Amino acid sequence: MKGAWLLLVLFAASPAVAQTPFDMSGERPPAPAQPIAPPPVQPAPQATPPGGTAPAAGTELPAQPEIRQATAQPAKRYFVPFSELVFSGEYSQRSWSVFLTPEQAAAATELHLGYQNAIVVAPETSRMTVSINGTKVVDQPIAASDKAADTVAIVPPRVLHAGLNDVTISAVQRHRTDCSIQSTYELWTQIDLARTFFSFDGAEAGRWKRVEDLRAIGVDESGATTFNMIVPSMAQAASTAPTVRLGEALALMANMPNQAFEVTEDGSPQAGPGAANVVVGPASEISRVLAMVPVGAQAGPVATLVDDPKLGPSTLVVSGPNWQAIDMAIDDIARQVDRPAGSLRTSLGTRNWRTPDVPMLTGASNLKFFDLGVSTLQFPGRRFRTDFTVGVPSDFYAGAYGQATILLDAAYSQDVLPGSHIDVYVNDNIAATVPITTTGGEILRHLPIKVTMRHFRPGDNNVALEAVLLTQADAVCAPGATGQGGPRFAVFDTSEFVMPDFARVARTPDLAAISGTGFPYGRADYALPLIMDRAQSETVSAGVTLMARMSVAAGRLIGVDSSTAASAVADRNAIFISALSQVPPAVLAQVGVSGNSSSGWGEAVSSIKPNTETTFDEWRKKLRGSGWRGQVSSFEDWMNRTFNISMDSFRVFPGRPPEYTPQGSASLLVAQETSPTAGGTWTLVTAPTASALREGVRTLTQQRTWRQIGGHLTTVDTGDDKVATQPVTHFDFVETQPFSLANYRLIAANWLSANALSYAVVLTVLSILLGLATAGLLGSLGRHK
């Protein structure tokens, strides 16, 4: 009987077995146990339509739409705050901070990393690591030479926290076959910004619930940050100053390196990563752009986040019954990020694109490498490079004579040969070289390296330390030798950077002071006259973007007065932002720009109109060494390269430069000069058209461009981001410090060092006076016949 039942069971199961394909499920992890399904629910009887009849049995009913429960999409947050991120050389590292809201920090998080590397990078000896708050999240070989690679890593719980989170990406790269120093310049790994982001689980992580959550605006897939400001009453004079002030407060709050503002009277910009929508105006006017005005806006100041069906979730609304109430609402936001005008600034806020914050050196200082973010590191390769950043104030005046010192604690192995050297770069300019002349290895304890300060400029300054190491093993370069061997060089975090006391006096014109610390506008104790066309949204966007960038540089809000006419500025500091055709001729003449520039500027003539300076340089190189003029030119170049002495140093009273006429390729011009009575500083920002002005200012305020402006005049070509500067030939001193003989002595030392002929004249006069005094003294001694 049991055998019969067994035969029946096998017979019944045989069709199912025959239809099952070959499977290796035993090699996969066992599937989790599934819950017992509930009994099927009987379909409800079909309702009879009014006035109709029920469908007959067997009649096929039309398909009904399937109703599914909506699932929350993961919130995406791009976190690379650069327009481009490339790790080059054998060792490279970048660190910055990412601000997260409490909801983002509490959510389950994935880290997505996309990159591609050079074909010569050896994957077996090259690695990339990503650390968050000291916890290593990614550690893998660099192996994406054929196509971009995507890596997804789970961020462990409790690694992220609300507020600033430190992110560090480092790359160790080795060449496949070449052991030379030159081959290290072929190594690179580029991060794909659009494929590198945090993915937060849950919809709440993609929303802002508090105004301070705007610090988490972050960047988009290109590394940019955009604030879309909708001001229905933009053309009214009362709206300009509050709009600019709100833009400055938001820029200081977000503190991203590539921020821009788009100001319109109406519109529906789409919110997304790295973008925020902001509505500003009285309650009676913002009702035109919002589905619902926030509660209380009709009665008092309001600054809140709302979910608008047109503008999207987390739209910031700043409103009130009138503009006075709106100013109060803006003050509540500004109070979180502003600082008093006379307060001492000890650091520059750069954590959102470089950690740690840059220390501000206002005099003699001594900082250890550890405090500057440089850790002890042992290096087994051929070219080692690390860097740190220090800041100097706007009245720094020691470029002609000053020297800083690096007290280097380092070591090199016995494999390192003479001919190796240690180089120091300041803002990508060579500042010092120390050759290695001994064999057998050595431990360097506080080795003094003098670093010229001629390349220092107001604001943050990058100081890079590079060691070029030659060995016999690299000369032989046996197979596989590029990734072998022990440490050759070590740098210790006990090394120190020593800044001496330096002269402090500001100069005008000096555009580098604006880019560094917002000087002189960041120190003004009155509302800065801001002259621009309020009727054009492109001009207002450019004005808000520029003032926001200057506020970030100054570390505080800069009050503006938009009601002052150009003719009424007098001797105050002022900024003029407008298309060239709308700039008053008197302003153009004062800042040294030709009044005929508007006739041809902006036309696409760069291909047919040669650049005078470029052509001159070509002929100069062609005729160098031929004839006595060529020999004089070569001698001038040698003096400039070797001793930093130019012919301008031999001018006693340098005159004003000729009026500048912008070339066809330049799309934006920034010029600065003293006011007619020398009581203030005027800065002009102009372009051929209003649209070119908006795009040009957006390019100008990007981090990579902003720190390049200087001299008394700067032009920007938005096509290739090329920046050209006209050096300052004459300037006026602006006293910023209390009277001090020691400071005046340093000022005189730097001025005489920069003006060799004046120094020679003063030395000659003093020698003559000394001779006369000595002759008079000797004449009064002894017997007289």
Side-chain angles (χ1 to χ4, degrees):
M1 189 66 180
K2 293 182 179 179
W5 278 107
L6 183 59
L7 290 174
L8 288 174
V9 171
L10 293 175
F11 181 79
S14 59
V17 174
Q19 294 176 4
T20 303
F22 178 73
D23 187 19
M24 295 184 65
S25 58
E27 307 219 354
R28 291 194 287 264
Q34 299 294 331
I36 301 176
V41 180
Q42 297 294 330
Q46 299 291 333
T48 304
T53 59
T59 305
E60 185 177 353
L61 297 175
Q64 299 294 326
E66 183 181 1
I67 300 176
R68 297 183 179 179
Q69 185 177 1
T71 58
Q73 296 294 326
K76 183 181 293 187
R77 171 75 185 276
Y78 299 102
F79 64 88
V80 179
F82 314 106
S83 58
E84 184 181 52
L85 180 57
V86 179
F87 296 93
S88 58
E90 293 184 304
Y91 174 78
S92 183
Q93 176 177 295
R94 297 293 294 270
S95 300
W96 66 92
S97 296
V98 178
F99 188 94
L100 300 180
T101 65
E103 292 76 18
Q104 291 173 342
T109 308
E110 290 181 346
L111 171 65
H112 294 248
L113 176 66
Y115 71 94
Q116 190 167 13
N117 57 268
I119 193 172
V120 296
V121 175
E124 61 274 8
T125 54
S126 303
R127 300 194 70 84
M128 176 180 291
T129 61
V130 181
S131 300
I132 302 176
N133 294 327
T135 300
K136 191 174 294 185
V137 179
V138 175
D139 186 0
Q140 65 178 29
I142 300 177
S145 58
D146 295 336
K147 61 180 180 179
D150 291 293
T151 299
V152 181
I154 303 297
V155 179
R158 294 182 296 277
V159 169
L160 300 174
H161 56 256
L164 291 173
N165 296 262
D166 292 337
V167 176
T168 300
I169 303 180
S170 60
V172 175
Q173 304 175 113
R174 295 292 181 267
H175 203 282
R176 290 179 182 268
T177 59
D178 200 337
C179 304
S180 65
I181 300 297
Q182 186 62 34
S183 68
T184 63
Y185 294 94
E186 302 173 358
L187 304 173
W188 57 265
T189 297
Q190 183 170 13
I191 302 299
D192 191 335
L193 307 185
R195 301 159 78 167
T196 302
F197 54 88
F198 288 125
S199 179
F200 302 105
D201 188 18
E204 291 300 312
R207 299 163 59 88
W208 302 322
K209 297 185 176 182
R210 299 155 290 270
V211 174
E212 54 267 24
D213 287 350
L214 285 170
R215 297 177 186 269
I217 182 174
V219 296
D220 60 14
E221 64 275 7
S222 63
T225 303
T226 304
F227 290 93
N228 300 306
M229 302 185 71
I230 302 174
V231 188
S233 54
M234 182 185 66
Q236 298 179 12
S239 68
T240 305
T243 301
V244 173
R245 183 171 176 79
L246 178 59
E248 294 177 0
L250 294 177
L252 283 168
M253 180 176 290
N255 195 27
M256 300 306 295
N258 303 316
Q259 301 179 130
F261 289 79
E262 297 290 338
V263 184
T264 57
E265 288 186 322
D266 53 13
S268 55
Q270 295 296 322
N277 292 334
V278 183
V279 179
V280 188
S284 59
E285 298 179 359
I286 65 174
S287 59
R288 302 200 307 263
V289 297
L290 289 175
M292 182 178 296
V293 177
V295 178
Q298 298 283 359
V302 169
T304 186
L305 294 167
V306 302
D307 294 337
D308 187 78
K310 183 179 180 182
L311 299 179
S314 303
T315 297
L316 176 62
V317 179
V318 181
S319 183
N322 49 49
W323 282 106
Q324 289 76 16
I326 294 174
D327 284 332
M328 297 175 61
I330 296 175
D331 288 340
D332 291 337
I333 300 175
R335 196 173 296 114
Q336 305 178 39
V337 294
D338 201 7
R339 67 177 179 88
S343 61
L344 180 64
R345 194 176 185 186
T346 59
S347 63
L348 302 175
T350 62
R351 281 194 63 180
N352 284 357
W353 64 91
R354 183 185 181 91
T355 57
D357 283 338
V358 177
M360 176 68 81
L361 308 182
T362 57
S365 306
N366 193 319
L367 297 173
K368 292 185 179 297
F369 276 20
F370 176 80
D371 300 324
L372 298 170
V374 179
S375 303
T376 298
L377 183 67
Q378 300 185 73
F379 178 70
R382 294 141 194 84
R383 185 172 62 91
F384 168 79
R385 188 181 180 97
T386 188
D387 63 346
F388 58 88
T389 306
V390 294
V392 296
S394 57
D395 55 359
F396 172 83
Y397 187 59
Y401 81 100
Q403 283 186 330
T405 304
I406 292 179
L407 301 178
L408 183 64
D409 287 344
Y412 60 91
S413 70
Q414 62 272 19
D415 297 329
V416 177
L417 300 176
S420 305
H421 50 90
I422 301 172
D423 301 326
V424 178
Y425 295 84
V426 176
N427 296 327
D428 295 329
N429 297 285
I430 186 69
T433 297
V434 177
I436 294 177
T437 58
T438 60
T439 59
E442 187 177 0
I443 296 179
L444 308 175
R445 291 291 297 172
H446 272 40
L447 174 69
I449 302 177
K450 297 294 184 180
V451 180
T452 176
M453 293 196 292
R454 57 178 291 196
H455 301 299
F456 279 75
R457 48 183 291 154
D460 58 292
N461 296 269
N462 181 263
V463 181
L465 185 72
E466 183 176 274
V468 177
L469 309 172
L470 304 176
T471 65
Q472 184 61 35
D474 289 341
V476 176
C477 197
T482 57
Q484 298 177 357
R488 299 176 176 178
F489 185 80
V491 62
F492 302 100
D493 59 10
T494 55
S495 303
E496 299 179 17
F497 177 80
V498 181
M499 172 68 79
D501 201 9
F502 52 84
R504 297 194 60 182
V505 62
R507 295 168 295 166
T508 184
D510 185 12
L511 290 174
I514 287 185
S515 69
T517 60
F519 182 86
Y521 307 113
R523 295 192 178 189
D525 55 358
Y526 54 85
L528 175 70
L530 179 63
I531 294 88
M532 64 180 181
D533 185 4
R534 298 185 300 270
Q536 293 183 309
S537 62
E538 296 90 348
T539 304
V540 177
S541 299
V544 176
T545 300
L546 178 66
M547 295 307 303
R549 190 65 181 87
M550 288 174 53
S551 295
V552 172
R556 60 180 300 269
L557 274 72
I558 302 175
V560 299
D561 177 12
S562 60
S563 60
T564 303
S567 58
V569 172
D571 60 348
R572 291 180 292 172
N573 296 328
I575 295 181
F576 302 85
I577 305 176
S578 184
L580 184 61
S581 59
Q582 299 176 346
V583 179
V587 175
L588 290 176
Q590 185 62 31
V591 298
V593 178
S594 173
N596 298 324
S597 301
S598 59
S599 60
W601 190 25
E603 299 177 0
V605 297
S606 58
S607 59
I608 60 176
K609 182 178 179 180
N611 186 295
T612 303
E613 293 296 331
T614 302
T615 305
F616 179 80
D617 290 339
E618 291 176 355
W619 277 95
R620 188 177 186 180
K621 294 178 181 178
K622 184 184 301 185
L623 298 178
R624 180 173 296 168
S626 60
W628 68 271
R629 293 181 182 272
Q631 294 177 1
V632 170
S633 179
S634 299
F635 179 73
E636 291 178 8
D637 292 341
W638 178 80
M639 291 287 291
N640 194 13
R641 292 193 312 269
T642 308
F643 303 105
N644 191 30
I645 297 177
S646 63
M647 295 305 297
D648 294 336
S649 302
F650 298 97
R651 297 179 181 177
V652 181
F653 301 107
R656 289 177 61 93
E659 287 189 341
Y660 179 80
T661 301
Q663 302 292 333
S665 60
S667 52
L668 184 78
L669 183 146
V670 184
Q672 187 180 90
E673 192 53 77
T674 56
S675 62
T677 58
T681 301
W682 288 7
T683 301
L684 170 67
V685 182
T686 186
T689 62
S691 59
L693 179 65
R694 179 187 59 187
E695 296 303 319
V697 169
R698 188 179 184 115
T699 301
L700 175 75
T701 54
Q702 304 300 294
Q703 182 68 18
R704 67 180 185 276
T705 309
W706 181 254
R707 295 299 290 143
Q708 297 183 49
I709 68 175
H712 81 96
L713 189 146
T714 296
T715 59
V716 179
D717 186 352
T718 57
D720 55 6
D721 295 345
K722 181 180 178 182
V723 179
T725 61
Q726 298 291 323
V728 176
T729 57
H730 77 288
F731 58 85
D732 296 329
F733 284 121
V734 179
E735 193 167 5
T736 58
Q737 301 297 312
F739 175 81
S740 170
L741 289 177
N743 190 39
Y744 282 4
R745 179 185 67 82
L746 294 174
I747 293 173
N750 192 80
W751 188 87
L752 290 173
S753 299
N755 297 271
L757 185 58
S758 299
Y759 176 77
V761 171
V762 170
L763 185 61
T764 302
V765 171
L766 290 178
S767 299
I768 293 174
L769 293 177
L770 178 62
L772 294 176
T774 303
L777 179 62
L778 294 178
S780 63
L781 299 176
R783 296 180 179 181
H784 297 273
K785 294 183 178 180

